[in-house]
Amino acid sequence: MKKAMMALMAIAAAMGTGRAERISLESYAHNLDSLAIAVLPFKSLNDKKIGADEPWKVIADDLDFSGRFMVTRSDSVDTAVFAKKNIPIYIDGNYSVNGSFVVLDGYLRDVRTREPIAEKRLSGEVASLRALAHRLSNEVVEMLFNDKGIFQSKICFVRDEGAVKNIMVMDYDAHHLMQFTNNRCINIFPAFADSATIVWTSFQRGQPDIFKGSIASRRIKLIAGGRFVETSPAVSLIDGRVAFGSSRDGNMEIYVCEADGSAVKRLTFNKCIDTSPCWSPNGFQIAFTSDRGGSPQIYVMDADGANARRLTYEGNYQDSPAWSPKGDKIAYMSQKGGPFEIWVIQTDGTNAFQVTTNPGHNEYPAWSADGGHIVFSSRTGGKSDLYTIKADGTHLKKLTFMGNAKMPDWSE
């Protein structure tokens, strides 16, 4: 009870209310991973209606997606319904539109008194209304759970059109889809260097090279290129260094370089294939795929290449490791006689857990910034689309419906 109350009081302070009310949270204090909340329509203050991207619908979808709320969408405060569902708090608000500009006020209220517990005012272009609503959702999640909100994050992925494969970028909820590359060649293995920058492998010079580019300006820079295979880049969130697979010394090994491509250093030295590196959140370690044990498995080594150890032993093919943001788990794709599935394992090699059970090959996992969800591509019947799922295997959701989406990555 004390923890829940402190969390809501923190919301009040952070969101700028002058009237933080004490409310009863006994109805859900026993289970802080599943809070009952209602979301009501926002009202226009000057009779100018918003046609699309209604903020209350975006907020309700955000909170529902998180898996941490039992969301009720209601046209009004129905105390009988709210009492039956043990809903002690609700969100409502108002807005005013002046030309292309909108001011948005959101309120978190106590059901019993209908007084604000917390409130937030945001303003911007009407075209950015979804982003404003996502910010309000982030405020609630970040303050209540002390976790990073993911509702303004992006997902990049490959749209496979055969001989042409382009990198696409969209909001976490599949809105605002945009094409990042347009060079009529193969572009694969995209990864976020930060929320505004992508690294990827491209054949635009005739062979697989690694490039880095700004999402906004589309300016790109060659990071690693030559007559060899340069692939699967991953960027350290600590210092921007890039780990990648390369055949420049005759065999596919793991290398690392500075953010601008300088100071290339080889990390692995063996006659087998090492590829698909990913950094630990603290930048101290790198997970990667190697067949040095006879079949592709997941290994972990120090960031300087020392102390390599095998992490997975079950199954005949494991690939595409993805380190969780909290540093305690690694997701990967695993084949054990049937289709590929997404698995999660502790970084000490214990508690391997199969996350996906949906039909088809489930591949290329990537974590949300809060560590709560995994995005992956699922391939069946010749079609491939993106899905999200919670790390415990619940809340499966299909994101794309284009039939040729694969290799996703998720920004902060």
Side-chain angles (χ1 to χ4, degrees):
M1 179 68 174
K2 182 178 179 181
K3 182 177 179 181
M5 180 63 72
M6 289 176 65
L8 277 182
M9 295 300 285
I11 288 180
M15 296 181 72
T17 181
R19 297 179 296 175
E21 303 288 341
R22 292 182 58 86
I23 64 172
S24 173
L25 302 176
E26 292 179 358
S27 59
Y28 60 76
H30 67 287
N31 187 0
L32 283 173
D33 287 330
S34 185
L35 309 186
I37 191 170
V39 182
L40 277 60
F42 284 27
K43 299 177 180 179
S44 172
L45 295 179
N46 58 0
D47 296 325
K48 293 183 179 179
K49 301 294 184 181
I50 296 172
D53 295 332
E54 297 171 292
W56 53 95
K57 294 181 180 179
V58 176
I59 293 169
D61 289 344
D62 286 343
L63 301 185
D64 186 60
F65 176 87
S66 74
R68 289 177 158 180
F69 296 87
M70 295 179 291
V71 179
T72 295
R73 295 164 173 83
S74 179
D75 290 333
S76 61
V77 179
D78 190 326
T79 53
V81 171
F82 289 5
K84 184 176 181 180
K85 293 184 177 182
N86 292 321
I87 301 173
I89 53 176
Y90 68 95
I91 295 172
D92 68 357
N94 54 61
Y95 63 89
S96 59
V97 179
N98 295 287
S100 63
F101 196 75
V102 62
V103 176
L104 187 66
D105 292 299
Y107 302 91
L108 180 66
R109 298 183 188 270
D110 173 14
V111 166
R112 182 179 59 83
T113 66
R114 303 195 186 187
E115 290 296 313
I117 303 166
E119 58 190 78
K120 185 74 174 183
R121 168 168 287 189
L122 299 172
S123 60
E125 297 290 327
V126 174
S128 67
L129 190 56
R130 289 191 68 85
L132 297 179
H134 288 323
R135 284 181 59 188
L136 285 175
S137 300
N138 280 344
E139 293 274 357
V140 174
V141 171
E142 290 178 18
M143 294 299 104
L144 188 56
F145 293 99
N146 196 30
D147 274 341
K148 182 178 176 65
I150 64 170
F151 306 122
Q152 289 184 282
S153 63
K154 304 284 186 181
I155 292 174
C156 64
F157 63 95
V158 173
R159 183 172 64 188
D160 187 348
E161 299 176 276
V164 174
K165 295 175 174 59
N166 277 306
I167 309 300
M168 311 295 293
V169 181
M170 64 183 182
D171 292 349
Y172 95 95
D173 56 3
H175 284 264
H176 296 150
L177 178 67
M178 61 164 284
Q179 184 170 317
F180 174 65
T181 60
N182 188 23
N183 49 26
R184 303 298 300 171
C185 71
I186 295 175
N187 301 275
I188 51 177
F189 297 117
F192 284 99
D194 53 48
S195 60
T197 310
I198 293 175
V199 293
W200 76 102
T201 296
S202 178
F203 285 71
Q204 61 187 278
R205 300 198 317 160
Q207 67 282 325
D209 300 323
I210 294 175
F211 289 83
K212 178 188 289 186
S214 163
I215 296 174
S217 70
R218 311 295 179 89
R219 292 182 179 178
I220 67 172
K221 173 182 174 60
L222 178 68
I223 298 298
R227 298 179 291 106
F228 313 105
V229 175
E230 315 280 10
T231 188
S232 305
V235 179
S236 168
L237 298 180
I238 301 301
D239 57 17
R241 285 186 298 161
V242 182
F244 59 99
S246 175
S247 65
R248 61 181 61 197
D249 290 324
N251 187 53
M252 185 64 67
E253 304 283 358
I254 305 298
Y255 292 75
V256 67
C257 67
E258 296 298 320
D260 61 0
S262 64
V264 176
K265 178 184 178 182
R266 181 173 169 178
L267 298 183
T268 60
F269 297 82
N270 62 78
K271 297 180 180 180
C272 299
I273 295 174
D274 298 329
T275 189
S276 302
C278 76
W279 294 86
S280 64
N282 61 14
F284 292 162
Q285 294 179 296
I286 295 174
F288 63 102
T289 302
S290 177
D291 65 353
R292 64 184 65 182
S295 65
Q297 300 289 337
I298 308 302
Y299 288 75
V300 174
M301 63 182 172
D302 295 345
D304 62 0
N307 300 317
R309 60 183 174 86
R310 183 171 170 176
L311 188 69
T312 60
Y313 287 86
E314 298 181 7
N316 59 321
Y317 199 118
Q318 334 283 351
D319 198 4
S320 300
W323 217 301
S324 70
K326 296 182 180 180
D328 58 337
K329 300 180 181 71
I330 292 176
Y332 57 99
M333 52 190 275
S334 175
Q335 187 176 51
K336 302 184 178 182
F340 279 102
E341 300 288 357
I342 305 301
W343 283 66
V344 169
I345 192 170
Q346 298 289 127
T347 53
D348 62 1
T350 63
N351 299 325
F353 171 74
Q354 183 177 332
V355 177
T356 58
T357 56
N358 50 306
H361 289 278
N362 300 301
E363 305 166 317
Y364 301 107
W367 293 86
S368 61
D370 64 354
H373 293 78
I374 296 170
V375 64
F376 63 97
S377 58
S378 185
R379 176 169 51 90
T380 183
K383 294 185 177 181
S384 180
D385 275 296
L386 305 187
Y387 290 74
T388 59
I389 194 169
K390 290 199 72 175
D392 63 2
T394 62
H395 289 78
L396 178 69
K397 180 179 181 179
K398 188 173 183 178
L399 284 185
T400 66
F401 296 85
M402 59 184 62
N404 59 354
K406 57 183 62 175
M407 296 183 178
D409 193 37
W410 205 328
S411 77
E412 288 191 292

